[in-house]
Amino acid sequence: MLTGSLAVALLLMEAAAPFYKALAGKTFSITLLDARLWKVTGLTFAGVWAMTAIYPALLLSSFRPTLGLKGEWLPGGKAGSLRKGLIVMQFAASAGVAYGQLPKREGRPGQPGEGPAQ
């Protein structure tokens, strides 16, 4: 499932690149043969795979079937704090991605070594 999603994402990236270039007015090239692309893709794939494997394992390791059958087991405690931590990590990652997409301003007044043009 995850591998299929990765393939679809790469195909969509290739298909959407010309439209993004036209919209942004920028020229850049993304090739599927770029080593940096595969490094980031591989690390992201490994991280997502590990998180999708670890979270259910941790959740199920704390599950007590007898309490579950009695209806007394409610998610919370360790599972709740893990869930909250994952939500905070997801928010931080999305905020970092959003910040990285902001245009960078160069030559702002007030930076050391930079001043008004003479």
Side-chain angles (χ1 to χ4, degrees):
M1 179 83 164
L2 191 59
T3 308
S5 301
L6 177 64
V8 169
L10 288 173
L11 289 173
L12 285 175
M13 181 185 71
E14 279 292 322
F19 300 111
Y20 181 75
K21 289 177 189 178
L23 179 67
K26 303 278 183 181
T27 57
F28 58 90
S29 64
I30 298 175
T31 63
L32 292 179
L33 300 176
D34 188 13
R36 291 179 298 165
L37 172 70
W38 288 107
K39 181 179 178 181
V40 170
T41 302
L43 289 173
T44 304
F45 182 80
V48 169
W49 179 77
M51 285 192 293
T52 59
I54 291 171
Y55 179 70
L58 289 175
L59 187 64
L60 289 175
S61 68
S62 65
F63 180 70
R64 295 185 189 146
T66 54
L67 293 178
L69 290 173
K70 291 179 184 178
E72 296 174 3
W73 184 79
L74 295 174
K78 294 180 196 174
S81 61
L82 178 62
R83 187 177 302 113
K84 288 176 187 176
L86 288 173
I87 290 170
V88 168
M89 283 184 1
Q90 182 182 9
F91 174 77
S94 62
V97 168
Y99 179 75
Q101 298 299 317
L102 293 175
K104 304 293 187 260
R105 295 191 319 170
E106 297 182 19
R108 293 183 295 215
Q111 289 183 345
E114 296 178 7
Q118 306 246 350

